[in-house]
Amino acid sequence: METTFSHNSTVKTSSTALWAGRIISAICIIFLLFDAIGKIIKVSYSVSGSVALGIPEQTIQGIGITLFICTLVYTIPRTAVPGAVLLTGYLGGAMAIMMRAGQPVYFAFAVGVLVWLGLYLRTDKVRRLLL
């Protein structure tokens, strides 16, 4: 006996939700690119903040490049879901470093939530997956 499940419910995005998702995603993208570029070009505030958290100075550029690539993958609509997964991993690492340094983790957590909220609001596939 075979059982087949069919879930053909159509979940359409309202224009308000679509634009809210785009705006939330754009804010996250701008912030993450700003942070990545600061690390890549070794801006003094980025280097000093990272070193204060115990990150070796010679690794900061590599971390910035990683964040830049993850953010670009999130920016492209076709690869936004894998990009969100990559950014979740990156932000999880940021939270671990903040915890180890005794710093609050709410900002990295909030950015992670906003990355997924923006994707949820602008992508039918993500909503269908969760409903």
Side-chain angles (χ1 to χ4, degrees):
M1 179 164 146
E2 285 186 43
T3 305
T4 306
F5 293 99
S6 176
H7 193 299
N8 291 333
S9 67
T10 304
V11 181
K12 289 292 180 186
T13 306
S14 73
S15 66
T16 304
L18 177 64
W19 278 103
R22 287 176 178 168
I23 290 168
I24 291 168
S25 293
I27 291 168
C28 291
I29 290 166
I30 290 167
F31 168 75
L32 293 168
L33 287 176
F34 182 77
D35 187 32
I37 292 168
K39 286 176 175 29
I40 291 169
I41 64 174
K42 291 189 169 184
V43 177
S44 62
Y45 70 85
S46 185
V47 173
S48 63
S50 297
V51 170
L53 291 172
I55 298 171
E57 188 173 342
Q58 64 271 18
T59 64
I60 295 171
Q61 265 186 324
I63 293 170
I65 291 168
T66 301
L67 177 57
F68 187 80
I69 291 169
C70 293
T71 304
L72 286 181
V73 172
Y74 177 72
T75 302
I76 301 166
R78 177 169 248 147
T79 60
V81 173
V85 172
L86 291 170
L87 287 173
T88 302
Y90 178 87
L91 292 166
M95 288 174 57
I97 289 170
M98 298 298 278
M99 282 184 204
R100 188 182 60 76
Q103 299 293 319
V105 298
Y106 55 84
F107 190 74
F109 180 79
V111 172
V113 169
L114 289 174
V115 162
W116 280 100
L117 178 62
L119 191 60
Y120 177 84
L121 291 172
R122 67 184 170 100
T123 308
D124 293 336
K125 290 179 185 179
V126 173
R127 272 195 311 289
R128 275 195 304 256
L129 180 67
L130 297 175
L131 293 180

